[in-house]
Amino acid sequence: MRIGLAGIMVEDQAKALAFYTEILGFTVKNDIAMGSFRWLTVTSPEGAEGVELVLEPIGFPPAHAYQSALYAAGIPATAFLTDNIQAEYIRLKELGVVFRGEPTNMGPITGVLFEDTCGNLINLVQPA
């Protein structure tokens, strides 16, 4: 058994696609029309082969409430790993990404939260 898909809820799939590809540098794996929504997945050129991030539309009111509650509480929806958090922080900041602080050493990791423009906080993490 292995993980092939992980999802993140987004308020607007087109906006999410632009952020995750143009800013984060992910690539589109699937973009299939499904009624008013899309089956939309992206992959990281630096990630594990076969792992896709699903940009899930929020079409269910409780899902929107859950996403909003996580965001308001400062809880990340997911985490992305990097080998050089300082360089990634600078690169993303120059592209206009909004961070909630600066990379902070937390023992086994160094991490910092950023906003994905789609209603989520993402934890950017560099393992020690």
Side-chain angles (χ1 to χ4, degrees):
M1 186 181 312
R2 62 186 168 81
I3 297 172
L5 298 170
I8 190 164
M9 295 178 289
V10 298
E11 296 168 342
D12 179 318
Q13 285 185 298
K15 185 176 180 180
L17 182 60
F19 180 81
Y20 282 82
T21 58
E22 296 170 17
I23 303 297
L24 297 186
F26 294 172
T27 56
V28 175
K29 177 71 174 180
N30 291 290
D31 188 354
I32 303 166
M34 299 189 76
S36 59
F37 299 114
R38 297 148 72 181
W39 175 251
L40 187 55
T41 68
V42 294
T43 62
S44 169
E46 301 170 20
E49 181 70 29
V51 176
E52 300 172 45
L53 180 66
V54 183
L55 303 177
E56 295 272 4
I58 295 180
F60 184 56
H64 190 272
Y66 176 70
Q67 182 199 44
S68 296
L70 286 177
Y71 187 88
I75 299 171
T78 194
F80 297 149
L81 301 177
T82 181
D83 293 328
N84 187 338
I85 197 166
Q86 196 60 42
E88 199 65 39
Y89 172 78
I90 291 167
R91 180 184 80 82
L92 293 174
K93 205 158 174 64
E94 288 174 353
L95 291 171
V97 173
V98 175
F99 283 88
R100 297 221 174 154
E102 296 185 5
T104 303
N105 185 306
M106 299 176 220
I109 68 160
T110 299
V112 64
L113 290 177
F114 69 87
E115 301 178 15
D116 77 348
T117 73
C118 307
N120 301 295
L121 293 174
I122 308 295
N123 198 8
L124 182 61
V125 175
Q126 178 181 331

